[in-house]
């Protein structure tokens, strides 16, 4: 009987060490996965400022897909996050693609001399028209988007530092596409 008790006592410290080692391995793997996912695949982003209203608001938190543009180029209408300066990222909407001619005249945006349909601004444009005021007060003379770049604008056209000010956005400055608003919870949605 004593011998059995001794065997049980000897195995307990070993099982505690084994369980602790399993927890350490699990935490290291989880930490590694979080690092890989945040560095290469998805990243959180916080909206700052009014430049994307009425569709995005200050303090909303987004999930940015960082890997998508490794497989394909940005497309018109997508909302992207990019490095505006060395320490500042912006969120804007892709309006024109490489090689396209773009110009802005009041509330109308033209790409290759065709007025762009912007369903994401329909309500804001209709509201401004009902009040008899222009939604956009900043025009842009026609230019051709350079290769490897996009022309971006904020949804709040009169109050946005975008390609009209900072120029075309090169692909290598793009962090990724905004895919999900996840905070606040009442605004949780996929971004189309």
């Amino acid at each position: 009987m004593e011998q059995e008790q001794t065997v049980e006592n000897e195995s307990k410290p070993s099982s505690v060490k084994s369980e602790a080692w399993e927890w350490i391995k699990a935490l290291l793997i989880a930490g590694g996965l979080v690092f890989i996912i945040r560095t290469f695949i998805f990243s959180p982003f916080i909206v700052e400022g009014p430049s994307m209203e009425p569709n995005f608001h200050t303090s909303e938190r987004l999930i940015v897909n960082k890997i998508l543009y490794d497989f394909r180029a940005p497309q018109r209408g997508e909302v992207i996050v990019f490095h505006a300066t060395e320490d500042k990222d912006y969120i804007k909407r892709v309006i024109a693609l490489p090689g396209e001619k773009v110009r802005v005249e009041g509330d109308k945006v033209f790409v290759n001399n065709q007025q762009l349909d912007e369903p994401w601004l329909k309500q804001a444009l209709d509201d401004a028209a009902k009040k008899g005021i222009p939604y956009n007060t900043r025009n842009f003379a026609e230019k051709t988007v350079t290769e490897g770049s996009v022309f971006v604008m904020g949804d709040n056209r009169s109050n946005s530092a975008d390609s009209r000010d900072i120029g075309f956005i090169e692909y290598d400055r793009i962090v990724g596409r905004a895919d999900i608003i996840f905070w606040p919870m009442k605004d949780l949605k996929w971004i189309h």
Side-chain angles (χ1 to χ4, degrees):
M1 199 92 157
E2 261 181 59
Q3 194 173 13
E4 276 182 34
Q5 221 172 12
T6 307
V7 171
E8 283 179 24
N9 288 341
E10 287 176 7
S11 68
K12 278 188 182 180
S14 171
S15 70
V16 169
K17 283 182 186 176
S18 176
E19 188 171 336
W21 176 240
E22 290 302 316
W23 273 101
I24 290 169
K25 285 194 302 188
L27 291 172
L28 288 172
I29 291 169
L33 287 173
V34 166
F35 174 78
I36 290 168
I37 289 169
R38 285 204 56 183
T39 303
F40 301 109
I41 302 174
F42 296 106
S43 184
F45 178 80
I46 300 173
V47 177
E48 291 178 23
S51 74
M52 286 299 285
E53 291 177 359
N55 297 306
F56 300 88
H57 300 91
T58 296
S59 298
E60 283 182 333
R61 285 163 171 72
L62 314 173
I63 296 292
V64 175
N65 182 333
K66 296 171 74 172
I67 198 168
L68 177 67
Y69 298 139
D70 289 339
F71 300 102
R72 70 163 178 80
Q75 297 176 0
R76 186 179 348 279
E78 290 181 332
V79 176
I80 63 171
V81 172
F82 62 93
H83 300 302
T85 65
E86 201 170 297
D87 58 344
K88 187 82 170 160
D89 292 342
Y90 282 1
I91 178 172
K92 305 291 176 199
R93 192 176 299 274
V94 175
I95 299 298
L97 305 171
E100 294 181 331
K101 289 187 249 178
V102 61
R103 76 178 187 275
V104 180
E105 295 174 0
D107 291 343
K108 296 177 181 171
V109 176
F110 296 89
V111 176
N112 293 331
N113 294 316
Q114 300 264 337
Q115 185 177 345
L116 183 63
D117 179 35
E118 300 183 277
W120 50 84
L121 286 183
K122 183 174 179 7
Q123 186 65 51
L125 291 168
D126 290 348
D127 290 347
K130 285 177 192 169
K131 294 176 187 172
I133 58 171
Y135 182 68
N136 174 45
T137 58
R138 298 178 54 226
N139 293 333
F140 182 76
E142 186 171 87
K143 288 188 180 176
T144 301
V145 181
T146 57
E147 284 304 312
S149 300
V150 291
F151 179 88
V152 298
M153 292 175 73
D155 290 351
N156 188 353
R157 299 288 160 81
S158 294
N159 190 10
S160 175
D162 50 38
S163 286
R164 294 172 291 178
D165 309 296
I166 62 175
F168 304 129
I169 307 304
E170 298 85 13
Y171 287 170
D172 63 359
R173 291 172 52 199
I174 298 174
V175 175
R177 182 181 73 183
D179 279 350
I180 302 169
I181 297 174
F182 71 92
W183 190 262
M185 288 298 287
K186 67 179 178 57
D187 295 333
L188 179 69
K189 68 178 175 183
W190 288 99
I191 300 167
H192 300 287

